[in-house]
Amino acid sequence: MVTATGYTADEIMTVTAARSLTSDTACFVGIGLPSTAANLARRTHAPGLWMVYESGTLGAEPDTLPLSIGDGVLAETADAVVSVPEVFNYWLQPGRIDVGFLGAAQIDRYANINTTVVGDYTDPEVRLPGAGGAPEIAASCGEVVVIVRQSRRTFVESVDFVTSVGHAGGPGGRERLGLRGRGPTRVITDLGVLEPDPATRELTLVSVHPGTSLDDVRAATGWDLAAAPDLRTTEPPTDGELAVLRSLTGR
């Protein structure tokens, strides 16, 4: 639903995520909001963005949003198509991908992600789609950007299962596990933007979207959310960004 601001919550979330990407960056892209954000970035301020999809398409430049990682439009427009093992063994694990985009069913204060089960692993309330390539993306990309709608159901005190490690239990957690990348550097939601505190590695609210308050974000978070002392308001989408985004999504 388009609000009085002239754009939807998903639109400002997608535009904000797109702005996190720059030209001449290799980005591991997932389907859904991450794919939309990456394709928006490539069509606006980051024409040199090099997109890699898990199916093995390197440098894809689709004319339309792919429906899945196996969509033929990715292979038709890619610089090269390689095997899935090569994507992971040669490109991802050695640290050749700058940015990875991930979603989450649950995320905790240290940006650990669950996409496996809700509830007890042996007798879950809900069985989720699972890991896919997410654990390797979280472990090995230079940095990770998470895009997820914010609610207490999603932003939980402790995830029911750690599918993809964020900052583990706090400072030094990734290093103790021998993980290559910096982990999640930004979590972008439909309410605002969170970044890990440099000292504690705990997610901290750094920006709220127009029309949203700090109280709104805290009410949608399952822990006592910290906020930056210089809490900002997110720059709203421009007319140009919205026009390109809506052409992509068919709105």
Side-chain angles (χ1 to χ4, degrees), residues 46-78:
L49 182 68
W50 200 65
M51 298 193 299
V52 176
Y53 284 81
E54 189 174 336
S55 54
T57 55
L58 309 178
E61 297 184 354
D63 296 325
T64 58
L65 289 179
L67 299 177
S68 72
I69 59 171
D71 195 319
V73 70
L74 295 176
E76 291 167 1
T77 61

Side-chain angles (χ1 to χ4, degrees), residues 3 25 31 35 39 54 81 94 99 103 128 136 145 151 166 171 204 230:
T3 65
T25 296
I31 294 301
S35 180
N39 279 279
E54 189 174 336
V81 180
V99 183
L128 299 166
E136 292 292 344
V145 176
S151 71
T204 300
D230 57 344

Side-chain angles (χ1 to χ4, degrees), residues 191-195 203-208 213-214 217 225-228 231:
L191 301 178
V193 178
L194 300 87
E195 296 178 357
L203 289 177
T204 300
L205 186 68
V206 298
S207 176
V208 292
S213 69
L214 173 58
V217 184
L225 179 65
L231 184 64

Side-chain angles (χ1 to χ4, degrees), residues 30 54 61 94 132 174 181 202 212 228:
E54 189 174 336
E61 297 184 354
R174 292 184 65 84
E202 183 174 323
T212 302

